[in-house]
Amino acid sequence: MTITQLEYIIAVDTYRSFVGAADKCFVTQPTLSMQVQKLEDTLGVKLFDRSKQPVIPTEIGSEIIAQARILLAESEKIKEIISDRQKELSGELKVGIIPTVAPYILPKIIQGFVEKYPGVKLIVWEQTTELIIQQLKLGTLDCGILSTPLHETSLTEVPVFYENFVAYVSKNSKLSKKKNIVPEDIDMEEIWVLNEGHCMREQVLNICQRRKATKGYQHFEYNTGSVETLKRMVDMNNGATILPELALADLNEKQLDKVRYFKSPEPAREVSIVMHRNFLKRRMIEALKNEILNFVPKRLRSKKKKEIMDI
């Protein structure tokens, strides 16, 4: 049994394809298949049901692959011990980040991070919470920047900041007549929200659910995954939406007049760096966390007088 063989069976399990696994491992498919077959011969069991498409692990194969993931993670710690003895951080850091956070922090921190840690290759994917969780569990991401709590026992969450939600309202909205608002003021009939699959949608609905639905009929339903599109819908089509506070940085003076803050306790979201329970690359992840903290305003580092919205 070799580490390479364990890497190959994990890849087949992750991508559910011998061809896809070989491509990700940068070897030919026959080479990978031969090594998987050798491991099966050594163990005396079949790890995969090759009659299925996509390929799936057998019952005992699932147990062995789960253990292989642990063994591989432990072997990686040897490299981490060496890295910890070196002054300069080096290697790849694979990060997943949700679309409602990415545009407001990534452009602000990437340049500084790269300049401070030239030996680190930062690889970032913008994905939904569900996909990031899945890839953290599979080990294809080192960490994720997500809204929490996730209530996932296999993951470790390190809260970084607590971002307030604000209302962004058109001049025709009833909310525009108020200086500060409470969740009960919000009429769901005029609110633009993200489509399903985005955790911020659930947080916004949790804010708005305190007011009972009013009778009415919406003549138009729009599905988007972009906070920026929601903002433009308010600008062009009236109504209102809920924005994360960091989204206000790019607003002009006219747009800032459309912002309404909530009374205390303000609804907010907890944004954390999330890793697998047996996570590696601790120094790199800590460096990324510190870079985010250097950018985030001090008032967002505390959850005092805020109500954290569940997802």
Side-chain angles (χ1 to χ4, degrees), residues 253-293:
E253 190 173 338
K254 184 178 178 181
Q255 289 175 315
L256 286 172
D257 286 339
K258 299 179 182 180
V259 175
R260 296 294 180 272
Y261 291 90
F262 286 92
K263 294 179 181 178
S264 182
E266 298 172 81
R269 63 176 175 177
E270 177 183 84
V271 178
S272 302
I273 291 184
V274 182
M275 300 77 62
H276 190 274
R277 187 174 49 205
N278 301 313
F279 70 99
L280 302 169
K281 304 184 180 178
R282 295 169 188 267
R283 286 180 64 209
M284 286 191 208
I285 293 171
E286 184 67 21
L288 179 63
K289 173 190 169 186
N290 290 337
E291 202 63 31
I292 295 171
L293 282 173

Side-chain angles (χ1 to χ4, degrees), residues 67 106 151 185 203 291:
Q67 189 62 37
L106 277 185
H151 310 293
D185 293 328
Q203 291 168 320
E291 202 63 31

